[in-house]
Amino acid sequence: MNEKTVWNSYTKENLAEMNEVCRWYMDCLDAAKTEREAARLSVKTAEEAGYRNLAEAVKEGRKLKAGDKVYAVYNEKTVILYHIGTEDLERGMNILGAHIDSPRLDVKQNPLYEADGFAYLDTHYYGGIKKYQWVTIPLAIHGVVAQKDGSVTEVNIGEDPADPVFTITDILPHLGGAQMEKKASVVIEGEKMDLLIGSQPLAADPAKEEDGAEEEKKQKEGVKAAVLQLLKEKYGMEEEDFLSAELEIVPAGKARELGLDRSMILAYGHDDRICAFTSLKAMVEMEETPKRTSCCILVDKEEIGSYGASGMQSRYFENMTAEVLALCGQDSSLSVRRCLQNSRMLSSDVNAAYDPLYGDVYEKKNAAFFGKGLVFSKYTGSRGKSGSNDANAEYMAAIRRVFDDNQVAYQTAELGKVDVGGGGTIAWITACYGMEVIDSGVALLCMHAPMEVASKADVYEAVKGYKAFLKDM
């Protein structure tokens, strides 16, 4: 099974359409390196496709009918889209779910300090990373600074070619003998992953008289003072404003085509924006009113267990679905329960592509491969399927029918060998409602690295597959 690569079946028209989809996707990756940016881009894309804010409909008491398209946003980090179908909502929805957060480094709340002539930002890593991969590469700072007056300032430094970039230093090999004896998990320690942001001290102002204590402080922390002055000038930011800032450190630079044949994409954030943006595209390009209501959930916090108000474990999705049902004339908790239980979902998250350089950690018959389409994982979890949603055989059969009828390439896979691999998604959370859920997504090389690799063909097949699911499931 799963022996055929899609490349040999593509016509010139298929290849042209694939490249168009991938150019769009790469533009999305460049514009959205954080969950806030991804949410903002998703809303803009939805509004251009005719979606309207659900909050406005609720405020106006405007009833929803078949064909209506609405979206909801929470904490600027989670977005849900609904395209109302002709069928009674109590009979369920067809749902695409993906997450828009990615592994990264976060700036701490009291981060700025100077040490021996260098200014640093103290960080805490977010999600599962190999820490040693994040040193000595160009890094950018994205995020927001919220002021006490309620204003919020956007921060984006390191992406424009005229911007400076930042980095985390590492010791030279000539002095790294002891370091090289450490396990890979601790060769770079989390508390040493501090971002180097400056080395030039603040110049003295000859027109300003300062007392001895102030002068001594500037001499001791002149580089920190210079950084604070720059932050004040550009962002109106004081040091204490770090307390209410969300600043994320991500790799600097754009998504790039990979390979002499340009068949792959090298980029930060494929996990899981490759599933999020392809799901979004499937939703907004649905021209006809669906039979079953279509829904797309783009959620935050998956990389740290889906906790928090903007994570999948919160009640936000359930609450917004209740609002939609109420505007459709079904204002009861029983209607909400019926709708969610009768829904069908693709929990769209990435899988590990077979890498022949590390083939010993894969079970090849049940591994995902580049160029063979969307990946279905009947179960995830680890070892004895711990923490897994295990999809029903009947649901898997229905998925096969839809994809085969629509000529969408797909494959099945596990995440590595038994007792070696494992991982989790949001599938088990929505399965708690009793709905049918299966994990699906795009296979990646270098998952969770600063730069990950995907196949263009698999991006294209993902869009086709998600459209087929929404239309025919």
Side-chain angles (χ1 to χ4, degrees):
M1 294 188 292
N2 304 334
E3 293 298 325
K4 294 181 180 178
T5 175
V6 297
W7 289 106
N8 296 332
S9 66
Y10 282 171
T11 64
K12 288 183 178 179
E13 290 75 19
N14 292 143
L15 291 171
E17 186 175 352
M18 177 197 73
N19 280 309
E20 183 179 347
V21 167
C22 289
R23 278 192 294 271
W24 173 86
Y25 169 59
M26 291 169 70
D27 287 342
C28 289
L29 288 178
D30 293 341
K33 289 192 174 183
T34 70
E35 66 280 10
R36 284 178 180 265
E37 292 168 352
R40 188 185 311 123
L41 178 60
S42 298
V43 168
K44 179 176 181 292
T45 303
E47 288 181 338
E48 290 172 350
Y51 282 77
R52 296 294 173 259
N53 197 325
L54 177 61
E56 295 176 2
V58 171
K59 184 177 180 181
E60 297 167 5
R62 186 172 71 247
K63 297 298 181 184
L64 297 179
K65 61 184 184 305
D68 285 347
K69 298 183 282 189
V70 292
Y71 70 86
V73 184
Y74 190 62
N75 276 358
E76 308 300 325
K77 301 173 187 175
T78 291
V79 181
I80 307 174
L81 281 66
Y82 299 88
H83 189 163
I84 308 302
T86 57
E87 198 170 84
D88 189 336
L89 254 173
E90 282 195 2
R91 298 183 67 179
M93 303 180 285
N94 290 343
I95 303 171
L96 300 173
H99 67 90
I100 53 176
D101 60 316
S102 296
R104 60 177 189 260
L105 306 178
D106 285 342
V107 174
K108 291 184 179 181
Q109 266 56 66
N110 185 24
L112 182 60
Y113 71 96
E114 179 175 339
D116 299 310
F118 294 110
Y120 297 93
L121 289 178
D122 201 356
T123 74
H124 195 134
Y125 60 93
Y126 174 97
I129 66 171
K130 292 180 176 178
K131 297 187 286 292
Y132 62 80
Q133 294 179 329
W134 287 76
V135 300
T136 72
I137 63 173
L139 297 168
I141 301 175
H142 292 232
V144 296
V145 179
Q147 308 282 1
K148 289 190 293 184
D149 64 5
S151 62
V152 178
T153 304
E154 194 80 19
V155 176
N156 187 323
I157 313 171
E159 301 297 349
D160 190 292
D163 283 352
V165 294
F166 311 94
T167 199
I168 298 166
T169 60
D170 191 13
I171 192 169
L172 62 162
H174 311 68
L175 302 177
Q179 180 197 51
M180 297 295 284
E181 296 298 320
K182 295 180 179 179
K183 291 173 57 178
S185 59
V186 294
V187 69
I188 298 295
E189 298 172 16
E191 282 294 354
K192 289 187 177 179
M193 296 183 71
D194 292 352
L195 197 69
L196 181 61
I197 62 169
S199 66
Q200 182 178 342
L202 184 66
D205 186 351
K208 186 176 180 181
E209 292 186 7
E210 295 176 339
D211 61 35
E214 186 67 25
E215 180 63 29
E216 182 180 356
K217 181 181 178 182
K218 280 195 175 180
Q219 288 181 4
K220 287 180 63 177
E221 295 191 326
V223 181
K224 177 181 175 181
V227 167
L228 285 171
Q229 180 171 290
L230 290 169
L231 292 173
K232 177 72 171 178
E233 290 171 355
K234 185 160 186 177
Y235 298 108
M237 183 179 175
E238 304 288 352
E239 184 173 5
E240 55 267 27
D241 292 329
F242 279 111
L243 293 172
S244 52
E246 289 181 2
L247 300 175
E248 301 177 12
I249 299 165
V250 299
K254 295 181 178 294
R256 300 288 298 273
E257 292 177 311
L258 178 65
L260 291 173
D261 55 5
R262 299 176 182 266
S263 63
M264 296 167 284
I265 301 171
L266 177 72
Y268 167 71
H270 280 313
D271 182 7
D272 183 38
R273 297 182 193 115
I274 198 168
C275 296
F277 290 134
T278 50
S279 295
L280 175 67
K281 190 172 184 66
M283 279 289 290
V284 300
E285 291 185 353
M286 179 182 288
E287 296 178 356
E288 296 181 3
T289 299
K291 182 179 178 182
R292 284 168 64 90
T293 292
S294 297
C295 176
C296 179
I297 309 168
L298 305 177
V299 70
D300 183 26
K301 298 291 189 291
E302 192 276 342
E303 295 293 358
I304 56 171
S306 296
Y307 298 102
S310 55
M312 197 67 229
Q313 291 201 59
S314 79
R315 294 290 182 89
Y316 183 66
F317 168 57
E318 181 181 336
N319 292 344
M320 292 306 99
T321 300
E323 296 282 9
V324 168
L325 279 157
L327 294 179
C328 289
Q330 295 169 295
D331 190 6
S332 77
S333 61
L334 187 57
S335 291
V336 177
R337 293 180 186 181
R338 286 173 175 166
C339 174
L340 294 175
Q341 179 169 305
N342 291 328
S343 292
R344 303 163 188 152
M345 179 178 177
L346 295 184
S347 171
S348 301
D349 208 339
V350 296
N351 206 309
Y354 181 81
D355 187 336
L357 299 182
Y358 303 96
D360 58 315
V361 298
Y362 298 86
E363 198 270 285
K364 203 168 181 179
K365 299 191 310 299
N366 289 288
F369 289 82
F370 269 19
K372 295 187 178 180
L374 199 65
V375 183
F376 286 101
S377 299
K378 186 178 183 295
Y379 45 84
T380 52
S382 58
R383 295 169 178 84
K385 299 186 181 180
S386 177
S388 170
N389 168 70
D390 197 339
N392 286 335
E394 293 86 349
Y395 187 47
M396 183 74 229
I399 293 285
R400 290 174 57 202
R401 174 187 55 78
V402 169
F403 274 55
D404 287 342
D405 288 350
N406 286 275
Q407 297 182 311
V408 178
Y410 65 93
Q411 54 187 315
T412 61
E414 297 180 13
L415 188 61
K417 286 182 176 178
V418 177
D419 289 338
V420 173
T425 68
I426 63 173
W428 70 270
I429 302 168
T430 52
C432 290
Y433 294 115
M435 70 173 69
E436 296 278 18
V437 187
I438 191 169
D439 285 292
S440 71
V442 178
L444 298 181
L445 294 174
C446 313
M447 190 193 302
H448 280 215
M451 303 296 280
E452 301 166 315
V453 183
S455 166
K456 283 185 174 181
D458 296 335
V459 175
Y460 179 50
E461 294 298 325
V463 174
K464 289 169 55 183
Y466 294 149
K467 287 182 177 180
F469 175 83
L470 293 176
K471 177 172 66 77
D472 291 340
M473 193 62 200

